[in-house]
Amino acid sequence: MTILRICSKVVVPLSNVTFTTNHFSQQRLASLPLRSLIGRRWYATESTASGMQIDPAELKRLERLRNIGISAHIDSGKTTLTERVLYYTGRIKSIHEVRGKDGEGAKMDSMDLERERGITIQSAATYCKWKWGDKGDYNINIIDTPGHVDFTIEVERALRVLDAAILVLCGVSGVQSQTITVDRQMRRYNVPRISFINKLDRVGANPFHVIDQLRQKLRIAAAPVQIPIGTEHDFEGVVDLLKWKAIYNEGNRGETVVEKDIPEHLIPFATEKRQELVESLADVDEEIAELFLAEEKPTSEQLMVAIRRATIANKFTPVFMGSAVKNTGVQCVLDGVCAYLPNPSEVGNTALDTRNNEVPVELLPYSKSPFVGLAFKLEEGKYGQLTYVRVYQGALKRGSFLVNTRTTKRVKVPRLVRMHSNEMEDVDEVGSGEICALFGIECASGDTFTDGSIAYTMTSMFVPEPVISLSIAPKAKESANFSKALNRFQREDPTFRVSIDPESKETIISGMGELHLDIYVERMRREYNIDCVTGKPQVAFRETITKPAKFEYTHKKQTGGAGQYGKVVGHIEPSPKPAEGEEALPDFESRVVGGTIPAQYIPAVEKGFRDGLDKGTLIGHPMTGIRYILEDGTHHPVDSSELAFRLAGFYAFREAYEKARPTILEPVMNVQVTSPIEFQGAVIGSLNKRKGTILDTEIHEDYFIVNADVTLNSMFGYASELRGATEGKGEFTMEYKTHLPVTSDLQAELVAEYRKKKTGEKS
């Protein structure tokens, strides 16, 4: 096998590279991801591109393609920024603001609920073209994501399929709780980002404080590539530290970008910040480090190449500045998307080959490769199910046939569209690296499609567990629409769960928060004409054990003829937390030797254990954090069966569970409250009253931010209390952090309530 090794740190467009044909043809090397040439060492086998013929036009198309998401904390200005992007790229003819005050509303907030509440509920996709200087047109696919933590799955699945992102930050509030969550999601999927500090026209805006927060809270190297010309009411434009020009937006909507000389009074500060940029890059990029140590000044071209290299390697984020609502600085962000964020060929994507023991396979983003696509989002449209697909490899044509890797079903693509928020544009074909949508395809979110010549599957996305539940029932007589709506919402949203309480027979819906469930209840009323009655929200408690306990249980039953016999011996113990970088131990382990329990019965014991996990004995909630170790047992040559060992495993677990000092766990939320400084005492007092643990407090000029850990059970009704304590000026966000044991008095209360409920049902 021939191995190609590339160790130099260079950034070169593949279409401009020439290689000798006696050993490696240009086409064969071109099939390697361009990221292999950027800021890292890479090893590739010769076989990765055997026989591949890359069309130069295909390479050029990929180089000018960007797939980006716009993510941030709620109310940071994501949708407002997207509205300006669409306007300046010519996709929309006029600008409308969030909340629909003018009767229209922002283009990407197409739901009435979004326009009424002024928040993004569903991620929305669009595409546009941007002419970057004299370098020509770039095609940009954009997904605008929600900022509220209750809709975090929309951010999760968008970042799963995108190549890069714009992280929007408020120039006043800076890094907030959901910013940290989005950063964690970007790191999970290795998504490079540029940062945009928005709202610099607001009172109290301080972009350099926000950059310090990026470095300290998100622990990523960050430096400004611009500085503001004035702040707050005097904000006029930005100084580009690479072009060394002052940039202003003129015209009614800031559509005209004007470059002028830097104002004299800003030159010393601009010089200082450019030097800060060089020093920050020297920490993450070898070439700039060598120039810095040699006391040479890098050119603007060298800095741009280094920023791109470090950004794509996820070592650095360049920081842009502006105010979307004041139409300032947005075009510079678009230039930054083209200049610093990767194209699809620069991003390494892998699939698992199901025909070869799920061996990881590098996907090549070229249209002549066998097709591989991921269905990452589903919507119920007026023409049937709308399936959003990211094309990772190959091309997708209308009328072609696809194979769902999960179900192995072969389906035809009857209609292929590009999305522009809630509008559609029919297309005949989309190439590799693109995002599109299909009609008439039945599938689940996360399914992989191929052309049938290969059997690849993409890795699944992370789906957080629901933290809150409530009962729901239609006011009128139950109709088919009630079940239809719940089934649809479950298909569309993996964090929305529906179950039936086996004791009360009530329908239970579970989700990420009160707002999450409120939105679905309201959608049922608007979209399906079903008025619903909801019960009191229920916290997603869990049960666990605090010490090991042994078990030795024999299941024996004789009813004439062949009976049931199975004996299991072992112990249960709390699951240890894995050290950083290590995998968690399996929650079931068999140490049976000598065939005392035949191998075919051991999976049945595991099934019995998992049956027991479904419902705890303390308050009837699922159990977690328990390991089951099977050590020994006996069987009978005639009476033993899978059922016998499954029941033995179940009852042995229940018996040991009572001896393992079980306890109840409750969800703990990370709560961040922002309020004017004069209400600091009242806010901290209210959190202490709810038994919250204050983590830190940030004091600003006229407001403060407090972070605390508070149990979800204590947070019901907090919104009303906070409004009253702060004269309506305070706001808070919360997100799930972990499950922790409840206090002994609360545990006794919950157990007594559960037993009383069970006794009442029996009588």
Side-chain angles (χ1 to χ4, degrees):
M1 184 186 298
T2 307
I3 301 294
L4 170 66
R5 177 173 176 175
I6 303 171
C7 295
S8 59
K9 291 195 170 187
V10 292
V11 181
V12 185
L14 283 180
S15 55
N16 296 340
V17 180
T18 304
F19 299 97
T20 57
T21 55
N22 58 349
H23 190 59
F24 280 100
S25 68
Q26 176 169 351
Q27 287 84 359
R28 294 167 76 180
L29 185 60
S31 69
L32 303 176
L34 183 56
R35 182 176 279 188
S36 63
L37 301 175
I38 301 175
R40 64 166 70 181
R41 293 186 178 186
W42 224 82
Y43 300 86
T45 63
E46 180 187 1
S47 60
T48 53
S50 55
M52 184 74 67
Q53 298 295 319
I54 304 302
D55 186 352
E58 174 86 350
L59 286 173
K60 186 175 181 180
R61 179 186 69 83
L62 286 169
E63 286 171 8
R64 295 177 178 274
L65 177 62
R66 301 289 184 271
N67 294 313
I68 65 167
I70 299 181
S71 302
H73 184 86
I74 189 170
D75 282 339
S76 294
K78 299 176 302 300
T79 304
T80 305
L81 173 64
T82 310
E83 188 81 357
R84 269 65 185 174
V85 166
L86 295 178
Y87 179 71
Y88 296 139
T89 56
R91 287 295 285 136
I92 57 177
K93 301 303 180 186
S94 58
I95 293 176
H96 299 284
E97 302 302 341
V98 175
R99 294 188 188 273
K101 294 175 184 176
D102 57 0
E104 283 282 333
K107 180 65 184 177
M108 302 302 278
D109 285 347
S110 57
M111 289 175 59
D112 290 339
L113 272 170
E114 293 178 315
R115 294 177 176 180
E116 289 170 16
R117 295 181 180 237
I119 60 172
T120 301
I121 294 170
Q122 290 185 330
S123 58
T126 187
Y127 65 98
C128 58
K129 284 188 177 182
W130 176 246
K131 187 174 183 181
W132 176 33
D134 57 359
K135 296 177 176 62
D137 288 339
Y138 280 70
N139 295 305
I140 305 174
N141 290 312
I142 301 172
I143 297 182
D144 177 32
T145 62
H148 200 287
V149 67
D150 284 18
F151 310 109
T152 190
I153 189 62
E154 295 286 341
V155 187
E156 193 80 37
R157 56 186 170 192
L159 292 177
R160 168 66 182 83
V161 299
L162 293 170
D163 301 326
I166 301 173
L167 180 63
V168 183
L169 301 113
C170 173
V172 179
S173 304
V175 173
Q176 298 168 274
S177 58
Q178 185 66 4
T179 317
I180 296 171
T181 303
V182 168
D183 172 71
R184 190 163 58 241
Q185 292 168 320
M186 289 179 180
R187 292 177 189 273
R188 183 179 294 134
Y189 302 114
N190 295 317
V191 176
R193 91 286 296 265
I194 61 174
S195 300
F196 176 61
I197 300 178
N198 193 21
K199 301 190 177 185
L200 291 189
D201 59 308
R202 280 184 57 187
V203 175
N206 185 344
F208 302 105
H209 174 66
V210 178
I211 293 173
D212 287 339
Q213 289 183 322
L214 279 171
R215 294 166 178 162
Q216 294 163 14
K217 292 189 175 183
L218 302 189
R219 298 184 179 180
I220 185 170
V225 292
Q226 298 172 338
I227 61 170
I229 302 173
T231 53
E232 301 180 358
H233 298 302
D234 298 325
F235 180 59
E236 299 176 2
V238 295
V239 171
D240 191 313
L241 299 178
L242 297 174
K243 291 182 178 179
W244 206 245
K245 289 286 184 181
I247 299 176
Y248 301 89
N249 288 82
E250 297 179 355
N252 291 333
R253 287 293 193 173
E255 57 272 14
T256 306
V257 179
V258 178
E259 293 185 3
K260 298 180 181 179
D261 290 337
I262 301 173
E264 285 292 328
H265 70 281
L266 283 177
I267 289 178
F269 186 58
T271 304
E272 176 192 330
K273 288 301 175 183
R274 180 171 169 124
Q275 183 61 22
E276 181 184 315
L277 172 63
V278 173
E279 291 173 6
S280 298
L281 283 171
D283 290 335
V284 295
D285 185 81
E286 288 180 13
E287 287 189 13
I288 298 300
E290 289 170 5
L291 293 171
F292 183 74
L293 293 172
E295 297 185 357
E296 296 179 20
K297 286 189 176 181
T299 65
S300 294
E301 288 74 18
Q302 288 174 316
L303 286 174
M304 286 187 70
V305 170
I307 292 170
R308 178 175 176 79
R309 197 160 47 224
T311 302
I312 293 177
N314 269 315
K315 296 178 181 178
F316 180 79
T317 177
V319 181
F320 293 80
M321 301 179 186
S323 170
V325 77
K326 296 296 183 183
N327 311 308
T328 305
V330 176
Q331 291 94 329
C332 298
V333 176
L334 283 167
D335 288 345
V337 167
C338 302
Y340 304 129
L341 294 181
N343 67 58
S345 68
E346 294 171 299
V347 178
N349 289 299
T350 56
L352 304 177
D353 189 348
T354 58
R355 294 175 183 168
N356 189 20
N357 297 320
E358 296 194 348
V359 172
V361 180
E362 187 81 20
L363 296 178
L364 308 176
Y366 302 119
S367 297
K368 291 187 179 179
S369 305
F371 175 78
V372 179
L374 178 69
F376 66 93
K377 176 179 165 69
L378 309 178
E379 274 183 20
E380 193 71 29
K382 55 185 176 181
Y383 303 111
Q385 181 174 296
L386 182 67
T387 306
Y388 288 76
V389 173
R390 163 68 195 265
V391 180
Y392 283 99
Q393 180 175 284
L396 182 58
K397 298 179 181 178
R398 182 167 60 86
S400 61
F401 286 89
L402 301 178
V403 174
N404 186 325
T405 304
R406 179 178 61 87
T407 64
T408 68
K409 286 185 178 179
R410 191 166 181 257
V411 293
K412 186 177 181 180
V413 180
R415 189 178 176 193
L416 189 61
V417 297
R418 286 184 190 275
M419 298 303 298
H420 178 43
S421 186
N422 60 337
E423 297 175 4
M424 290 164 281
E425 177 189 318
D426 283 278
V427 292
D428 291 326
E429 180 179 359
V430 291
S432 179
E434 297 277 7
I435 292 172
C436 62
L438 316 176
F439 270 113
I441 301 288
E442 283 296 322
C443 66
S445 181
D447 280 357
T448 304
F449 288 97
T450 69
D451 59 6
S453 64
I454 51 177
Y456 291 173
T457 182
M458 305 294 292
T459 53
S460 59
M461 70 190 83
F462 172 77
V463 178
E465 286 296 311
V467 297
I468 190 171
S469 304
L470 52 84
S471 61
I472 185 171
K475 277 185 180 178
K477 186 179 178 182
E478 186 166 335
S479 66
N481 276 354
F482 181 70
S483 299
K484 185 179 178 182
L486 293 178
N487 288 334
R488 170 196 166 185
F489 296 151
Q490 275 193 104
R491 278 201 316 273
E492 292 180 359
D493 184 352
T495 59
F496 179 76
R497 313 279 174 84
V498 180
S499 59
I500 303 294
D501 188 309
E503 292 163 355
S504 66
K505 306 302 179 186
E506 290 180 314
T507 301
I508 306 295
I509 57 174
S510 306
M512 301 306 297
E514 287 182 272
L515 177 63
H516 189 205
L517 299 182
D518 284 348
I519 291 294
Y520 278 117
V521 172
E522 180 64 16
R523 286 184 64 187
M524 290 179 75
R525 185 181 70 81
R526 294 188 182 205
E527 297 174 28
Y528 290 90
N529 296 317
I530 302 172
D531 285 321
C532 293
V533 180
T534 57
K536 181 186 174 185
Q538 302 168 2
V539 174
F541 291 107
R542 294 289 182 266
E543 296 185 28
T544 191
I545 58 174
T546 56
K547 70 172 189 177
K550 294 183 178 180
F551 60 79
E552 182 174 346
Y553 185 86
T554 304
H555 176 71
K556 187 189 295 185
K557 190 175 183 182
Q558 194 70 43
T559 55
Q564 294 179 15
Y565 180 86
K567 180 179 179 180
V568 292
V569 179
H571 70 275
I572 61 173
E573 63 184 20
S575 297
K577 285 188 177 180
E580 191 172 342
E582 293 183 3
E583 289 188 7
L585 293 170
D587 52 7
F588 178 86
E589 182 181 347
S590 172
R591 297 176 184 171
V592 175
V593 292
T596 53
I597 298 179
Q600 68 265 30
Y601 296 144
I602 289 175
V605 179
E606 181 178 354
K607 285 180 183 176
F609 162 57
R610 300 203 182 283
D611 291 342
L613 290 175
D614 289 342
K615 188 175 181 182
T617 58
L618 292 179
I619 57 172
H621 281 252
M623 305 182 207
T624 186
I626 303 174
R627 290 192 77 221
Y628 187 108
I629 290 88
L630 180 63
E631 296 168 341
D632 201 2
T634 58
H635 73 287
H636 188 277
V638 176
D639 292 348
S640 288
S641 63
E642 283 193 16
L643 176 62
F645 274 101
R646 183 170 182 172
L647 292 171
F650 174 80
Y651 289 115
F653 171 60
R654 281 296 174 93
E655 186 180 86
Y657 181 73
E658 298 293 339
K659 299 183 288 184
R661 203 185 300 143
T663 189
I664 300 170
L665 304 176
E666 64 179 335
V668 174
M669 313 300 284
N670 178 249
V671 179
Q672 185 179 81
V673 185
T674 304
S675 172
I677 197 80
E678 62 264 28
F679 303 112
Q680 183 178 0
V683 169
I684 291 178
S686 71
L687 291 173
N688 286 332
K689 187 177 72 175
R690 293 171 184 267
K691 299 178 182 177
T693 303
I694 307 296
L695 301 178
D696 66 74
T697 304
E698 290 181 33
I699 307 295
H700 297 267
E701 189 174 340
D702 55 356
Y703 71 98
F704 76 99
I705 299 171
V706 59
N707 282 289
D709 285 347
V710 191
T711 60
L712 177 61
N713 207 31
S714 304
M715 288 301 294
F716 293 125
Y718 183 66
S720 300
E721 182 180 330
L722 180 64
R723 278 196 297 268
T726 62
E727 299 175 5
K729 298 173 184 175
E731 58 182 38
F732 81 99
T733 59
M734 67 177 182
E735 69 168 314
Y736 169 75
K737 186 174 183 181
T738 186
H739 270 77
L740 290 177
V742 301
T743 58
S744 56
D745 56 333
L746 178 57
Q747 176 156 325
E749 182 185 323
L750 290 170
V751 171
E753 186 181 322
Y754 177 66
R755 288 177 179 168
K756 183 180 177 183
K757 182 181 174 184
K758 286 194 73 175
T759 305
E761 286 170 358
K762 286 178 182 177
S763 60

